[in-house]
Amino acid sequence: MNADLIVYNIGQLVTGRELSLKDGESSMENIEILENGYIAISGNEIMAFGAGEVPSKLVKFTTKLLDAEGCVVTPGLIDSHTHLVHGGSRENEFLDKIQGVPYLDILERGGGILSTVKATREATEDELLDKAKKTLRTMLSLGVTTVESKSGYGLDSEIELKQLKVNERLNHEQEIEIVSTFMGAHAVPKEYENNREEFIKKMLDLLPIIKERKLAEFFDVFCEKGVFTTEESKKMFKEAKKYGLKLRIHADEIENTKGAELAKELHMYSADHLMAISDEGIKALKNSKVIANLLPGTSFSLGKEYAPARKMIDNGVQVALSTDYNPGSCPTENLQLIMQIAALKLKMRPKEILKAVTLNAARSIGREKKIGSIEEGKKADFVIFDAKNIEYILYRFGVNHTKQVFKNGCLVYKK
Ligand code: NIG
Ligand code: FE
């Protein structure tokens, strides 16, 4: 078969394939990095890859050759936790926030998530779509080729469906693949404050419609003190499962509510946040397929504790990293910055960080057979960085290191 494109002279090719563990490595460091690598692409797939000279039989029939000039190439980055689709912004709460007013207090007085709910209800579908597209263009320029996107700023049947509809349209109207999550249980809206049961029922009543119209693949709940209890969450998750939705959870973010344990019990794809995870929670995740999806941009932005990443990794938990991009707790779509915070604050090592935004992020959204590593037959999603080694990308923080981004074999961003 002929290749359409060969990228050669790759200084470090992070294939992201898992290797057998070497002495002294954590269970997150076992990813393959090839020195002086190449990748061959046919159509939208990886056809071959390797280290050293590109085999001459490959070169002979190739349409295009691209010299990576000794730079780093990684699989396309995956942002596996975002609240992409929303109206407005919340800089009006910023001063309170930096002066120490707690996140849950702002929510309690009708601000926080509820103020974004208001702005999202007021926005038209097209306005939400345009705003999300703009964010996705920035994400793409940062090397992100797949994004999970949650609803949860409607908290009303029609508006939740409007957000999910935007997810669907985004999949057809721009390059990044969107993985849609229904999160009607993101907060209890004011009008249901004294009738939580009714609100939960209303959100669960959307499940057959979502299933029929294929509007979401995942179901998520904000299981948190003052938001949804562990019992309420469990009930909702069980219902969502009946409609074929896969599960993920906002767990142990501010207070410990045994969210990690619930994730294991219900075989979820990921448990996200985990700043307040307990030792029992870590033990539960260790013996499960649940990915611990850490969002250190939220700790950074809220001035809170960071998740105990080192303890989790050293105990064999598989970790992913995401932005949590949203207008409140993490108003940045910059996944490279999150990777840098993970190094500086979570003390994660470069290979661990790379695995967390590629293969493990793919696992957390059930896409590991198609994306997340450079392997024959996988999608040709990859990034050429303006850096000679992966350490440089993490050490030199606050700048975009991307040089070129390819999605499905096509060049979609060039510096
Ligand atoms: O993941 N924790 C709940 N939801 C978001 C924040 C949403 C918001 O503040 O608008 C989060 O941090
Ligand atoms: Fe979130």
Side-chain angles (χ1 to χ4, degrees):
M1 199 165 50
N2 298 351
D4 298 308
L5 169 70
I6 290 181
V7 185
Y8 68 101
N9 191 19
I10 299 171
Q12 284 189 335
L13 172 60
V14 181
T15 70
R17 285 199 303 183
E18 271 177 335
L19 303 169
S20 47
L21 266 186
K22 291 201 199 84
D23 277 355
E25 273 184 343
S26 72
S27 65
M28 291 278 305
E29 281 179 298
N30 58 339
I31 61 164
E32 180 179 59
I33 299 185
L34 300 173
E35 304 288 326
N36 187 22
Y38 67 86
I39 333 178
I41 288 104
S42 168
N44 60 1
E45 286 183 2
I46 312 271
M47 181 184 157
F49 66 94
E53 281 289 295
V54 187
S56 55
K57 65 174 195 302
L58 258 183
V59 181
K60 211 162 145 193
F61 300 106
T62 295
T63 325
K64 197 169 173 231
L65 293 171
L66 176 65
D67 183 356
E69 297 172 334
C71 289
V72 171
V73 170
T74 73
L77 307 182
I78 300 167
D79 195 342
S80 55
H81 181 139
T82 82
H83 303 257
L84 170 70
V85 180
H86 61 260
S89 56
R90 304 226 291 270
E91 66 277 20
N92 59 324
E93 294 168 359
F94 187 60
L95 201 58
D96 276 349
K97 182 172 123 174
I98 56 180
Q99 283 171 341
V101 182
Y103 180 78
L104 292 178
D105 287 9
I106 296 179
L107 179 61
E108 178 76 17
R109 67 186 191 205
I113 295 177
L114 296 176
S115 97
T116 301
V117 166
K118 187 167 178 291
T120 306
R121 287 179 178 179
E122 283 165 7
T124 65
E125 187 180 304
D126 283 339
E127 283 165 352
L128 294 177
L129 184 84
D130 287 346
K131 183 168 156 67
K133 275 185 182 169
K134 198 169 161 211
T135 309
L136 288 168
R137 272 199 298 279
T138 309
M139 287 179 162
L140 195 67
S141 76
L142 288 155
V144 175
T145 51
T146 306
V147 167
E148 184 263 5
S149 167
K150 305 174 199 300
S151 69
Y153 289 121
L155 310 185
D156 163 271
S157 311
E158 211 176 295
I159 319 284
E160 284 295 313
L161 293 177
K162 175 171 78 173
Q163 279 192 279
L164 295 175
K165 186 85 192 307
V166 171
N167 278 346
E168 187 182 46
R169 286 179 65 187
L170 286 169
N171 253 329
H172 298 114
E173 297 184 26
Q174 54 77 56
E175 289 94 347
I176 294 182
E177 181 183 353
I178 304 294
V179 177
S180 183
T181 297
F182 171 47
M183 197 181 180
H186 191 197
V188 179
K190 280 274 164 234
E191 60 273 24
Y192 284 93
E193 224 170 28
N194 300 314
N195 201 353
R196 309 168 57 80
E197 278 297 307
E198 187 57 30
F199 176 69
I200 291 176
K201 182 176 176 307
K202 206 170 142 129
M203 290 300 108
L204 294 179
D205 283 347
L206 289 175
L207 291 169
I209 305 169
I210 290 170
K211 181 184 172 170
E212 194 198 310
R213 297 206 224 151
K214 295 194 176 68
L215 284 172
E217 185 177 336
F218 281 89
F219 181 79
D220 197 342
V221 174
F222 190 11
C223 177
E224 182 66 55
K225 189 173 161 225
V227 190
F228 293 100
T229 66
T230 316
E231 273 314 300
E232 286 169 340
S233 306
K234 190 168 172 176
K235 183 182 138 199
M236 289 188 268
F237 280 122
K238 285 190 161 166
E239 200 57 26
K241 214 169 187 171
K242 287 189 199 155
Y243 289 89
L245 291 180
K246 299 167 186 160
L247 311 182
R248 54 201 315 111
I249 178 172
H250 279 61
D252 306 327
E253 176 177 354
I254 297 161
E255 304 268 341
N256 184 286
T257 58
K258 295 196 191 305
E261 289 89 327
L262 184 63
K264 174 177 175 177
E265 186 188 332
L266 299 183
H267 305 286
M268 297 196 194
Y269 279 70
S270 74
D272 301 36
H273 285 289
L274 305 174
M275 284 119 90
I277 193 173
S278 66
D279 286 352
E280 283 68 41
I282 293 181
K283 228 182 270 163
L285 293 190
K286 177 188 173 160
N287 299 311
S288 76
K289 285 196 169 156
V290 183
I291 299 287
N293 201 357
L294 307 185
L295 318 163
T298 305
S299 306
F300 178 75
S301 161
L302 294 179
K304 305 282 288 184
E305 290 286 301
Y306 286 89
R310 260 299 19 112
K311 197 168 179 187
M312 289 186 217
I313 293 172
D314 294 341
N315 277 288
V317 174
Q318 289 298 317
V319 165
L321 285 164
S322 306
T323 58
D324 192 21
Y325 167 66
N326 73 73
S329 66
C330 195
T332 181
E333 62 272 74
N334 189 337
L335 188 57
Q336 286 184 38
L337 177 64
I338 302 308
M339 293 161 69
Q340 292 152 355
I341 296 175
L344 294 167
K345 297 293 181 185
L346 300 185
K347 308 295 175 202
M348 283 175 66
R349 300 176 196 134
K351 284 182 176 175
E352 294 170 340
I353 292 170
L354 261 305
K355 185 171 177 181
V357 291
T358 57
L359 189 60
N360 277 4
R363 284 180 173 139
S364 89
I365 50 168
R367 294 280 193 284
E368 72 276 15
K369 293 209 165 71
K370 289 193 179 139
I371 54 172
S373 62
I374 299 203
E375 289 182 71
E376 283 103 351
K378 279 200 170 180
K379 278 194 188 173
D381 294 359
F382 60 94
V383 186
I384 306 179
F385 284 96
D386 192 4
K388 298 285 188 254
N389 52 67
I390 57 170
E391 287 76 12
Y392 184 82
I393 299 169
L394 301 170
Y395 135 89
R396 190 145 150 54
F397 71 93
V399 288
N400 184 2
H401 294 284
T402 305
K403 212 169 153 188
Q404 295 190 28
V405 182
F406 287 79
K407 173 75 188 168
N408 287 321
C410 298
L411 178 66
V412 287
Y413 171 80
K414 191 171 178 177
K415 199 179 196 168

